[in-house]
Amino acid sequence: MSEFRPTLRPALATKQAVASAALKLSPLPEGTIVHVLARPGEQDVVSFLGSLAKPAAHAVRPVSPGQWFIVHEEPMPHKEMKSLFAALEPRATGVDQSHGRVRIRIEGKMASRALSKGTAVDLDPSAFPVGQSAVTLIGHIAAHVTRVGPEAFEIIVLRGFAESLWDDLARMSLEFT
Amino acid sequence: MSSYRLTKGGLVDRNAPLSFTFDGRPLRGFAGDTLASALLANGRMLVGRSFKYHRPRGILTAGAAEPNALVTIGRGGRTEPNTRATMQELYEGLEAQSQNRWPSLEFDVGALNGLLSPFLGAGFYYKTFMWPAPLWEKFYEPVIRKAAGLGKASYESDPDAYEKSWAHCDLLVIGAGPTGLAAALTAGRAGARVILVDEGALPGGSLLFDTATIDGKAAADFARDASAELQSMPNVRLMMRTTAFGWYDGNVFGAVERVQKHVRDPARQLVVERLWRIVARHALLASGAEERPLVFGGNDRPGVMMASAMRTYLNRYGVAPGRATAIFTTDDSGYALARDLEAAHVDVVAIVDSRSSAGVDYRGKARLIREAVVCGTKGRKAISAIEVHRGGQTETIAVDALAMAGGFSPIIHLACHRGGKPAWSAEKAAFLAPDGLNGLDLAGAAAATTDLAACLAEGAARSQAIVTAFGLSCPPVVLPKVEGDEGTHDSKPLWSIPGVKGKAFVDFQNDVHLKDIGLAVSEGYSHVELAKRYTTNGMATDQGKLSNVNAIGLIAKARGVSPAEVGTTTFRPFYTPVSFGALTGAHTGHHFQPVRKSPLHDWAKKHGAVFVETGLWYRSSWFPRNGEQTWRESVDREVLNVRQNAGLCDVSMLGKIEISGSDAAEFLNRVYCNAFLKLPVGRARYGLMLREDGMIYDDGTTSRLEENRFFMTTTTAYAAGVMNHLEFCAQALWPELDVRLASITDQWAQMAIAGPKARTILQRIVDEDISDAAFPFLAAREVSLFGGALHGCLFQISFSGELAYELAVPAGYGESVADALMEAGRDHGIMPYGVETLSVLRIEKGHVTHNEINGTVVPADLGFGKMVSASKPDFIGKAMLQREGLAASDRPQLVGVVPLDPKQSFRSGSHVLAKGAAATLESDQGYVTSSAYSPHIGSTIALALVKNGSSRHGEEVVVWNGLHGESTPARLCNPVFFDPQNERLHV
């Protein structure tokens, strides 16, 4: 079946964007998420990742001590991914999570109010400025939240929970839409 | 019917009339009314019946402490019993019903209980209804419960939505009275992040009924202007209709916001209540003070009201309490009430002051009776007279309303929620919050400061100190000028009133009266905690907000000690009742718990899968086809087809962990009891993971994809647990190892392709050669699919005992690849199969799951004794595995079980007894861990853990199920029922 071309089925394919003047909730393209795990004791990994990951096209999100996500809007071809993994070694290991995690964007002046219905993280810009990330529970679901703009957040969630989280976020946004 | 609406005055909107009903009777009120003020405005003095004696009760307070005026609001699923009429805002169409009465509020048969009161004193149920004993449950208790009670909850589901939310601030101010407003303004102007919460609909607290002026403005206008300024500040959040109900660790405060409890038709996009968790760097409790009732005979008669409540109804709602009002006071606040009543042209018949002199120079018309007390009242459903006791003489004075002013207790509940005990202040005659609270200050009346100007100053000063400590610069505080304040309220507590006539209530809501307290003390229950439980004082839904301090005072007096020595009972959340709806939040129905969906969920769905919840996962259980009547028909077909042709099963839920790093192999060698150090690249191995105590923790296959990269699978149930365990091992046990762990469960859609035709089917989509020679049993490699269009991981492993593979592909492509395999296998008879079939296949092969790995078995118990490495220097569980008890021959061991008669069956969980043994638990020799019908064997087959089972194959036993009364003759056997030589793995 070499002629068969497998088709991608995005986890949130059936979800309609939720949008109003105060808030917008939208699935982000299922591009690339590489989970980087540094060798214990490695220093300056962020600048190392920046040099590898074409800063203009990729973003580096802190996950936990010694761990980051490199995210990109476009899927990374298999060969390129392997090259990236090779370039990371031996300082770090790369693990493909492009399908294991789904990204959701929530933005607008009421975005942080809506998110506060789920997360205990203080989302005030003074405590959670642009570029800051946190791993947190949103309701019952673990997620990775990054402030990507003054009024915009990116949420990275396990694929299996993506639909449930979307439904929860839509409910949290209801009063603002 | 004596209370009435004044022709002018108050903050109600007289241009916005509202209709409502009480016990079905239509009444009118105004926007800005509470249900209580509207009832009073309509002359409704009688609003409820008491808990035990069914005595007529009226409205006692104007706030959250109300013990009497509990009513049921709404209908159907929106029925809300025990609503305090004093807190319920009036809205058009509100329907209220009185409670705990039959057949009507006016004529309540339960009032006969009053005649039985000699038998219904404190602790009566400990002394009476003792015999005949069986009647307690069948008769006495149901009758008592029916006679005594509150409102009834609805059995219909609540149609409204609730939610929870978090908020963060530098300063949380609780209470938007004068102190709280001053504090919030000070902090807000300094730029601090401020949250100001108040349970009322309007900010202002006591300013809403105070007749003083502030900077030349009416107090209520000052409150309005102050809140307008606060609302204009982006750094301040003003949250009205929000009750802060608890103080918790980490300076987190619980609060409930009544978002739409004041409207008839809640907007669908909004919740009706929201539960807040407010994280505050610092908090200021400005919750004010509660006025104390006085314990005289008939103090519960409708028309008797707290003096501050009467002043609230008069000044805020424009409602007069009656035509002839008396005031019984122990402090100066009674005179402020007299002044306001007279200013509104409401007759004040008498002021009864327990003191010999007052701090104010009263020049009104009322008769002033000093050094006197009210000892009793008269009237049936409303007060008609008071009995004044002075100098040994008793005088009766006709009245239709009575205010009582017994002094004030600071509202310190939240300050005591984290273990702090209130301290009695003889100077203030009140319990005060303990000193040195971390993260919480008190100010204003909550700190026993009662002078209005002092409250404003204290609120500002405390707030300034707090925000300055945060490093913020505070603009100079300019204190407003206060005029016309009635002054301080220092009072001499009057716990015990001489010459009391009739029942003098201490706890109105639980019908605890003076004699009950005396009885508790005389019977040895004088400790405050014992007295509480013996009398039920303070145990009602108001939690003794009005009654506790009087009970303590009375106990102190009876014991001849100070209230300080008696102390208080423990203060716990919640300050006022919180609905289950708010506590549940949004987690109902569809949002009750998250659903975890496999990437192959929709593939299974389109093939007609019946799903079963496994934790949060939805797993396909079986795939019924047309004509199949029972699940067993479907499962039998799927089982036979896997062994005859091939089946495809979604196994994406298995936990998957990528383990990398230069010490990954060494790490695995320590985690598993069997060897992993030398596992070749490209090979998979079954691994057993033990706990430190030697028992098996989890099992699964782990494959070496590269020298330093392993792909571990865990059971579905233990996926998160194993990940945590591995992280603990890596971070805490062996931090010196270079090992990195990543959960990849969700990255891969994983499918098992099992059956003799599996290879043929799979080869159609896999680019590499997967012949037995090139890709033998336990091979594990990355493979290219569809001519390089996709890459996945392929493992030749088998849970079914057939030639089988597991293929992992990137999750987003899972459905497409499963479709391709079904297409590739169409001519080979491929069918989807579910976890029921998976289970039958594995039981036929004697493969274990967590049914057998039940936390009490060691490897040898399951026949894995030889897997345990004898040569490894160490692994988790090695030391404890040496204990002699874990090697004893009579340990439960894995064994097969079949019924002697193939037509008979038995259930999992049944006990295994020796043949001829008595059917009792004492004869128990083990139990059936897993069972299924095997279409290949033609009968039920089972796995069991039985004492010394591995050496008892062939022995006849009895499978006994005491719960269902089933007893089945059976035989122990080899747990591998099918293909014991494993020949089918290599077809």
Side-chain angles (χ1 to χ4, degrees), chain B residues 824-882:
Chain B
R826 191 211 304 250
D827 295 340
H828 301 284
I830 194 169
M831 291 179 188
Y833 68 97
V835 287
E836 285 295 335
T837 292
L838 188 87
S839 184
V840 174
L841 294 167
R842 71 98 185 164
I843 294 171
E844 286 182 338
K845 285 296 295 178
H847 290 158
V848 297
T849 65
H850 275 288
N851 286 20
E852 288 72 36
I853 303 173
N854 62 9
T856 70
V857 294
V858 295
D861 298 337
L862 300 184
F864 296 134
K866 288 181 183 167
M867 272 180 67
V868 180
S869 169
S871 57
K872 288 202 288 189
D874 200 7
F875 57 85
I876 290 179
K878 180 180 169 101
M880 299 296 267
L881 206 51
Q882 311 301 320

Side-chain angles (χ1 to χ4, degrees), chain A residues 1 6-7 9 39-40 78 82 93 96-97 99-100 116-117 119-120 122 124 160 164 167-168 171 175, chain B residues 163-164 166 168 193 274 586 590-591 595 597 602 660 738 740-741 743 746-747 764 782 812 815-816:
Chain A
M1 294 179 71
T7 52
R9 186 191 163 92
R39 186 169 61 181
H78 184 252
K82 291 285 179 192
T93 300
D96 185 9
Q97 299 279 16
H99 291 250
S116 291
K117 296 178 185 181
T119 175
D122 184 358
D124 189 84
S164 255
D167 292 345
D168 285 350
R171 178 192 55 72
E175 68 170 303
Chain B
E163 69 182 6
K164 300 179 187 176
W166 289 86
H168 303 257
R193 293 168 65 196
R274 185 179 290 130
H590 176 63
H591 297 279
V595 172
K597 275 191 183 172
D602 289 342
S660 55
D738 170 18
R740 303 155 219 172
L741 304 157
S743 168
D746 286 58
Q747 167 67 16
R764 290 199 60 199
E782 184 180 304
E815 183 173 348
S816 183

Side-chain angles (χ1 to χ4, degrees), chain B residues 114-128:
Chain B
L115 301 175
L116 300 173
S117 62
F119 306 104
L120 300 177
F124 73 94
Y125 36 79
Y126 300 131
K127 302 170 183 169
T128 51

